[in-house]
Amino acid sequence: MNESPKGSWGDERERLRDAVILAHSSHHRALSRATSKDHLRRLHQPYVAEAIERAAPALREHEADFVAELCGGGTLAPDQIEPVLEPVVRGQHSARLFRWITLHWSIPVSNGYGRRLRLLVRDANHGGAVIGIIGLGDPVFSIRGRDAHIGWTADDRRIRLRYVMDAFVLGAVPPYSELIGIKLVTLMLNSLELGKQFSDKYSESRSRIADRRFEGKLAAVTTTSALGRSAAYNRLRNADGTLAAILTGKTSGTGDIHISPELYTDLRTFGIEQGLPNSRHENWGGNGFRNRRDTLKRVLRDLGLNTDYYMDHGIQRPTYIIPRSKNYREFLTGREPDLLSSERSAAEISEWWRERWGIPRAARGAYATFEPAVWRLWP
């Protein structure tokens, strides 16, 4: 009987199989005890801690500058909050600041896919202090609830998915978060200013794979609530009474949050060493895996594991769509040729938000106690 020598790929294959099976089983045992949002946060803590550790070499030395861009609660005048959008520039201070802020989220923040538009929401009346962040990327190709809500056929979706973006991160930082600032940041997705930022970046661009010219129109933005049904989106309305965020269903509960960064690195290395076929289009370089999920699916399949089963993490997340046009569904299904804008200026949005949420919540006073220094990640 021939046996593979110790340290061979045969041994590594078995080790990785066992590691995936154990990770999946351990995650589902922990999930069965997760009866609240706090429990779900605790499930993600190891991955958040790993992200903070990984970011330290690049961000630690800049942390004092980041902290200085937060507003102290004692200096914030809620009736004077005035949001403006600042595009994040890769490799610049804004990109470092954006990344540092995401490290405070209780759920690890992805980098998004394909097209990306990242924005800092700043307060023009408080020295440009950061209110929150918006990160938009290409949406998942197929989501049952979203597609049913829009009324998409497979052809409709293939042709018009480019007019939709997904908010892969969306949120407010203290002390604005104490004033339900997440509602202000969400409402900004329907602002004239965001539409201009998107158009400035993508108008007249051509898709790399389909080689189609794009007019820079944004019909709607989707997002997912990571911790279940969200008070930030539920019953959120625009000043005219229309729903600003519409619940479209839930995700299927598949993904890779139960695969630790260390295990993922081992799996990816194994896949590369085995020369697994890649699925990147030649216009994207044609070499390597398309993304993390693609990597895992291909490697798990090579390990002889059922990808549907081992990519099932069991956490179903509500999905929402934020319309940017009165006729977004008609446009996205090709029944109408152009968008009827329902955009509002940032000034109009902030006035509505202040009167409806910001000033009433300020009466509780919790925002006033925030000290920016408590947000430091590293000593």
Side-chain angles (χ1 to χ4, degrees), residues 57-122:
L59 301 183
R60 186 198 300 264
E61 64 180 300
H62 303 286
E63 188 166 47
D65 295 330
F66 302 151
V67 170
E69 301 210 39
L70 302 178
C71 185
T75 63
L76 178 62
D79 62 342
Q80 297 297 314
I81 294 172
E82 197 67 44
V84 293
L85 297 179
E86 175 190 327
V88 169
V89 180
R90 185 176 180 181
Q92 300 298 313
H93 170 75
S94 58
R96 292 189 291 270
L97 175 59
F98 186 97
R99 184 182 179 192
W100 178 77
I101 290 172
T102 66
L103 295 174
H104 293 79
W105 262 234
S106 57
I107 304 295
V109 174
S110 75
N111 292 322
Y113 299 112
R115 298 172 298 171
R116 284 199 308 166
L117 178 63
R118 296 176 296 165
L119 301 163
L120 295 170
V121 184
R122 292 188 178 272

Side-chain angles (χ1 to χ4, degrees), residues 20-52:
V20 171
I21 293 170
L22 178 61
H24 185 267
S25 175
S26 298
H27 169 78
H28 278 270
R29 284 199 304 271
L31 183 61
S32 69
R33 301 190 296 270
T35 56
S36 69
K37 290 185 178 182
D38 285 340
H39 283 121
L40 289 175
R41 291 187 181 98
R42 285 197 289 273
L43 285 178
H44 290 86
Q45 279 179 351
Y47 309 101
V48 173
E50 192 277 338
I52 292 173

